[in-house]
Amino acid sequence: MITIIEHEEDVDARRLVSALDDLGASIQLVRPWNGEDVSSALPPDGSDLPAPDAIVVLGGRMSAYDDERAPWLPDVRTLLVRCMNEGVRTLGICLGHQLIARAAGGSVACSDPQFHEMGIVPVEWEAPFESDAAVPMTPVASATGAAIMVPAVADQLSNAMDEGGPWIRLVDDLSRIPVVFADHNDAIDELPAQARVLARSERCIHAIAVGSHALGVQFHPEVDRAWVEQSLSTSGLSQDDANQILDDFDRHERDIVAGCRRLAQWLVSGL
């Protein structure tokens, strides 16, 4: 089962749901904006109930610090720490990516014009862990105060270099897709101690890994054209600029779909 946490009614998982359906995955939606309990995404500590195969934390218009506007965000950060400690595959998208960074002890710059991106964005993927093999990891306090216990980098390197390791194969496949779709004003400005950058654009970090199971992406793999049109309708952009973004999306839609399907495969299989 894949559990998806949705922060806003109209910021849903769109194509990711379809891609997971195609892979035969069952899906549980948790909608804290509608009063649903974020902690229900994982069984209670000590329970014999099975954990989900993976958890997805979606985007939203609030910031990673906006606990007053979205009072469930502290529970999401606590959940993310549990997932990282318990080895539950986790994908954070946009706001979810930033929440992974915050939960693991990093920080996010909010509404900084230098990080703003909207539309099709080229990204450069980096070979994971190739320069970190000799650097030991020690636990650090997360945003919740709990220590995050992820494997040492040397262990990560060994695991990742195995055939079917958690990041080598995934990054190799995603690096064949030259562009992503981005829509954000905030971005990670300080990495958690255990994080490794997997992708960057000219403006910001676009993908991080924390340990062997947590992946954050600043871009939106889940979007379809209707999602983009809806976002543009409230963007304040001129009609010409909005039309250009839509034209670019139409030209690169196959790339967006390919990235979404590849991430869905990782969520289901870990490969």
Side-chain angles (χ1 to χ4, degrees), residues 5-11 32-33 57-73 76-77 93-96 98-99 108-111 183-187 218:
I5 297 175
E6 184 181 276
H7 296 289
E8 295 187 276
E9 184 174 10
D10 60 345
V11 185
W33 60 264
V57 180
L58 295 176
R61 296 177 183 87
M62 64 286 291
S63 82
Y65 298 89
D66 213 346
D67 296 356
E68 184 173 347
R69 178 179 175 184
W72 57 85
L73 290 183
V76 174
R77 293 192 294 270
I93 295 174
C94 198
L95 172 62
Q98 297 158 16
L99 288 168
V108 176
C110 298
S111 300
D183 181 5
H184 66 97
N185 294 305
D186 304 348
Q218 182 60 69

Side-chain angles (χ1 to χ4, degrees), residues 116-130:
H116 173 73
E117 293 175 313
M118 186 168 192
I120 295 295
V121 175
V123 293
E124 291 288 335
W125 290 86
E126 303 180 10
F129 312 119
E130 70 178 8

Side-chain angles (χ1 to χ4, degrees), residues 41-110:
L42 284 180
D45 286 332
S47 170
D48 292 331
L49 296 172
D53 298 301
I55 286 179
V56 180
V57 180
L58 295 176
R61 296 177 183 87
M62 64 286 291
S63 82
Y65 298 89
D66 213 346
D67 296 356
E68 184 173 347
R69 178 179 175 184
W72 57 85
L73 290 183
D75 290 339
V76 174
R77 293 192 294 270
T78 298
L79 176 75
L80 288 169
V81 170
R82 280 195 63 195
C83 288
M84 286 184 270
N85 283 338
E86 296 175 22
V88 178
R89 280 191 300 281
T90 305
L91 173 64
I93 295 174
C94 198
L95 172 62
H97 159 79
Q98 297 158 16
L99 288 168
I100 287 175
R102 272 216 68 203
S107 65
V108 176
C110 298

Side-chain angles (χ1 to χ4, degrees), residues 13-24 27 224 260-261 264:
R14 299 289 170 112
R15 279 194 168 129
L16 183 58
V17 170
S18 299
L20 291 169
D21 282 341
D22 290 345
L23 294 170
I27 296 170
D224 57 16
C260 182
R261 289 177 175 168

Side-chain angles (χ1 to χ4, degrees), residues 115 117 121-124 180 184 199-206:
F115 296 131
E117 293 175 313
V121 175
V123 293
E124 291 288 335
V180 297
H184 66 97
R200 301 176 188 267
S201 70
E202 288 187 356
R203 287 182 175 264
C204 68
I205 295 168
H206 261 273

Side-chain angles (χ1 to χ4, degrees), residues 205-250:
I205 295 168
H206 261 273
I208 64 169
V210 182
S212 299
H213 294 86
L215 172 67
V217 296
Q218 182 60 69
F219 58 88
H220 285 276
E222 81 281 18
V223 297
D224 57 16
R225 197 179 202 275
W227 191 103
V228 177
E229 289 174 340
Q230 175 183 300
S231 185
L232 287 169
S233 71
T234 59
S235 68
L237 292 174
S238 69
Q239 192 60 54
D240 286 345
D241 287 343
N243 287 341
Q244 183 62 60
I245 287 172
L246 284 171
D247 288 346
D248 290 344
F249 181 84
D250 291 340

Side-chain angles (χ1 to χ4, degrees), residues 121-156:
V121 175
V123 293
E124 291 288 335
W125 290 86
E126 303 180 10
F129 312 119
E130 70 178 8
S131 63
D132 290 346
V135 181
M137 284 284 192
T138 56
V140 298
S142 69
T144 67
I148 297 178
M149 306 293 291
V150 298
V153 169
D155 294 334
Q156 292 175 338

